[in-house]
Amino acid sequence: FIPATIKPKKGFAPDTLGKNDRLRREIFAGSKKLSYLKTSNWHPDRLQARGRFSTDLRTSSIAVIGAGALGSAVAEILARGGVTKMLIIDSDDLEPGNLVRHTLIGSDLGRNKAIATAARLNGAAPMSSISAHSASLPSGSSLQKLLEPFDIVLDCTGEDDVLRRLYDTWWAIPRYFLSASFGFAAKRLILFGVHACAFPYEEFVVAIKPWLDVERLEWSAAGETLEGAGCWSQLFPARCDDVWLGAIATVKHLESIVQGAWQNDLRVLEQTLADGFVGYRVVELDQLCADEKDADVTGVS
């Protein structure tokens, strides 16, 4: 192989032989010093050798609606785990109050969350293609076109209006819809998933209503007002570690979905502390009421 930039020495024919003679006499002469360039193996198999998701999840195209505390953490885990195609949707800009829980940093203040998060993750996962939609979530045919390329639509906004728009839009090919939102102080994680051509908002409302009644009592006791099924609140109380725990559980749930363990249902996870270790347990409403009743009887709060 002779580089195209090599020209033959004066007096030699301008052909391969002439160029080769110049390489031999001048560039690679015995008296010349060769400089070596240190390289790295950037193949995905090498970059992800320390750990990555299953092939089913890595090859799924995922749209993440909401790049707030939960959405940014979920997107970070997905990108670093090897998901190759992802869209992040959010119209808000990063504010100082977001820094306590967000994956972005001070130098990103004032930037659109979706654009800044996508840029960060493209730098962290060079094998992936992560794009951003920095406007509000559209509706109708515009929403249909925006999300058409994606196998999974993951809503992390906790906003009813987002779910209504996913309900009002129809896709010819079914996809996985997963709504992930927090209860008060992020002590509960509420997951509702379905494989369908549109998000079943009315079914979702029926399933989640009893849990919202429980949540409203807890929000009211803390002097807050519950706006909807999730963490939509100007000062939603939740620590960074609780948010990351929820993000991890959301991604684990998502991986089980693409591996065939999908169930069209509502799943509520509640934090539990045992022997100093915090995790989640799946909790049913009747079980929660029984636990609260036992706590009242024993005087435990």
Side-chain angles (χ1 to χ4, degrees), residues 214-229:
V214 173
E215 288 291 328
R216 284 191 179 91
L217 293 175
E218 297 183 7
W219 281 71
S220 178
E224 294 278 355
T225 301
L226 178 61
E227 300 289 346

Side-chain angles (χ1 to χ4, degrees), residues 34-64:
L34 293 179
S35 298
Y36 291 90
L37 179 65
K38 186 177 180 180
T39 62
S40 301
N41 186 345
W42 283 71
H43 191 279
D45 288 346
R46 181 59 184 170
L47 291 181
Q48 300 167 355
R50 290 178 172 86
R52 59 183 178 179
F53 294 124
S54 62
T55 302
D56 291 333
L57 183 55
R58 294 201 316 273
T59 57
S60 295
S61 54
I62 304 175
V64 180

Side-chain angles (χ1 to χ4, degrees), residues 166-213:
L166 295 176
Y167 166 75
D168 289 333
T169 307
W170 178 268
W171 288 268
I173 299 176
R175 61 209 60 228
Y176 294 112
F177 293 93
L178 179 62
S179 169
S181 58
F182 284 127
F184 182 72
K187 299 304 179 184
R188 293 193 191 100
L189 176 66
I190 302 170
L191 300 168
F192 183 88
V194 65
H195 186 243
C197 294
F199 185 84
Y201 180 74
E202 294 178 352
E203 179 183 334
F204 167 77
V205 170
V206 171
I208 203 171
K209 183 181 182 304
W211 288 101
L212 289 183
D213 292 340

Side-chain angles (χ1 to χ4, degrees), residues 141-163:
S141 60
S142 297
L143 179 58
Q144 195 276 339
K145 183 178 179 180
L146 178 66
L147 299 183
E148 179 64 32
F150 297 94
D151 307 315
I152 298 172
V153 177
L154 175 58
D155 170 49
C156 296
T157 64
E159 295 186 27
D160 290 338
D161 184 59
V162 169
L163 300 180

Side-chain angles (χ1 to χ4, degrees), residues 227-250:
E227 300 289 346
C231 62
W232 194 89
S233 172
Q234 293 285 22
L235 294 174
F236 175 71
R239 290 185 351 194
C240 180
D241 55 331
D242 294 317
V243 170
W244 273 91
L245 182 63
I248 292 168
T250 298

